[in-house]
């Protein structure tokens, strides 16, 4: 399932991010690419520091409060977002995201914890207007073909991390996006899509008719499917 979400960030949040990035330092994006993706990745990324933490905090807070994202993703872990900048001539060739990310071990008492996560979902959050640049479309491949996305500032596309995808070269202006990855509580993509459709239907039913016996039955099915499929 590929899902576009409008207005994930507010106008005020976009203005805060835009102002912060004007004075920020960016480094070669190849440093965060897998060994083969380095060959096709041509962008820059926001360097670690106070500005990066501020921007990441705003984005993560926006994801936490977005009900549609929560319904579609069932997030267990969300990676700290990367802020990517594409200028004229930059793009990101066809690749698939790493299946595992993180992995640095943290010792806590006698136990060892790790931030290693499985990437079930990828997301791209657009930080500036599509009028600011030409090219730069995110193109996601699936069995139905190649699907280009170039959304409004503050909008986001959520898609399976299992897909091949690319960013077309920018031919004018600057493209700014945040990207990150999600490990879902519901591992199977088909199960997540079924839960999303069921939840969408029951909420529509509630808005139209209130709490009815039919609503209760759908809610019971939704809850029991979650019990069956969730991995804690």
């Amino acid at each position: 399932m590929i899902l576009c979400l409008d207005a994930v960030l507010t106008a005020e949040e976009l203005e805060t991010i835009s102002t912060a990035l004007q004075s920020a330092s960016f480094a070669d994006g190849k440093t965060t690419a897998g060994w083969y993706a380095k060959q096709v990745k041509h962008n820059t990324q926001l360097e670690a520091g106070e500005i990066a933490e501020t921007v990441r905090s705003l984005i993560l807070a926006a994801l936490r409060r977005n009900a549609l994202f929560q319904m579609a993703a069932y997030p267990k872990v969300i990676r700290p977002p990367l802020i990517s900048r594409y200028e004229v001539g930059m793009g990101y060739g066809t690749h698939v995201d790493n299946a595992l990310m993180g992995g640095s071990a943290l010792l806590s008492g006698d136990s060892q914890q790790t931030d290693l996560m499985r990437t079930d979902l990828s997301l791209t959050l657009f930080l500036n207007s599509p009028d600011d640049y030409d090219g730069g479309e995110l193109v996601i491949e699936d069995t139905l073909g190649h699907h280009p996305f170039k959304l409004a500032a503050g909008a986001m596309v959520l898609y399976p991390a299992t897909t091949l995808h690319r960013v077309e070269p920018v031919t004018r202006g600057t493209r700014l996006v945040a990207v990150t990855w999600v490990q879902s509580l519901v591992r199977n993509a088909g199960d997540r899509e079924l839960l999303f459709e069921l939840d969408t239907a029951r909420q529509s039913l509630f808005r139209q008719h209130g709490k009815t016996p039919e609503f209760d039955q759908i809610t019971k099915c939704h809850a029991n499917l979650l019990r069956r499929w969730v991995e804690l």
Side-chain angles (χ1 to χ4, degrees):
M1 181 172 68
I2 301 173
L3 185 67
C4 294
L5 297 84
D6 294 327
V8 174
L9 292 170
T10 66
E12 293 77 12
E13 288 167 335
L14 283 167
E15 180 62 29
T16 298
I17 291 171
S18 177
T19 301
L21 294 182
Q22 288 175 14
S23 60
S25 297
F26 286 74
D28 190 342
K30 293 182 187 296
T31 58
T32 57
W35 64 269
Y36 89 94
K38 292 180 188 293
Q39 301 176 40
V40 295
K41 185 176 185 180
H42 304 288
N43 66 7
T44 58
Q45 287 174 180
L46 181 62
E47 291 186 327
E50 185 176 345
I51 293 175
E53 288 304 312
T54 297
V55 173
R56 286 173 174 173
S57 295
L58 284 172
I59 292 170
L60 289 172
L63 293 175
R64 284 193 292 268
R65 71 170 182 252
N66 190 284
L68 195 57
F69 167 72
Q70 296 292 326
M71 282 173 55
Y74 289 96
K76 179 178 182 179
V77 183
I78 305 175
R79 291 288 298 168
L82 297 176
I83 312 305
S84 298
R85 182 174 67 186
Y86 293 79
E87 300 188 77
V88 174
M90 293 183 176
Y92 198 160
T94 301
H95 65 286
V96 65
D97 294 330
N98 290 340
L100 300 173
M101 293 187 183
S104 58
L106 303 173
L107 296 179
S108 176
D110 295 330
S111 63
Q112 180 170 300
Q113 299 177 335
T114 178
D115 65 353
L116 182 67
M117 63 170 281
R118 182 186 68 245
T119 56
D120 297 319
L121 293 158
S122 303
L123 67 86
T124 296
L125 176 59
F126 293 80
L127 300 179
N128 65 332
S129 169
D131 295 333
D132 292 344
Y133 59 98
D134 293 333
E137 294 85 357
L138 169 66
V139 181
I140 302 170
E141 300 181 22
D142 64 14
T143 55
L144 297 178
H146 296 210
H147 310 284
F149 296 90
K150 187 175 180 181
L151 305 184
M156 181 177 87
V157 57
L158 179 70
Y159 58 100
T162 53
T163 58
L164 288 170
H165 54 280
R166 65 184 184 274
V167 176
E168 298 286 17
V170 171
T171 58
R172 178 190 65 85
T174 300
R175 175 187 191 260
L176 290 168
V177 296
V179 297
T180 193
W181 298 268
V182 177
Q183 179 173 329
S184 179
L185 289 164
V186 180
R187 181 171 185 166
N188 183 274
D191 295 344
R192 284 196 306 273
E193 185 170 358
L194 182 59
L195 286 166
F196 178 76
E197 292 175 347
L198 195 59
D199 205 2
T200 300
R202 77 184 183 111
Q203 290 190 33
S204 176
L205 183 65
F206 187 83
R207 286 192 297 271
Q208 293 178 56
H209 304 292
K211 187 177 181 298
T212 63
E214 292 79 11
F215 170 82
D216 288 341
Q217 286 292 324
I218 295 175
T219 297
K220 184 188 79 170
C221 290
H222 182 269
N224 288 335
L225 287 173
L226 268 177
R227 290 187 179 94
R228 175 175 294 187
W229 290 334
V230 159
E231 300 176 7
L232 298 175

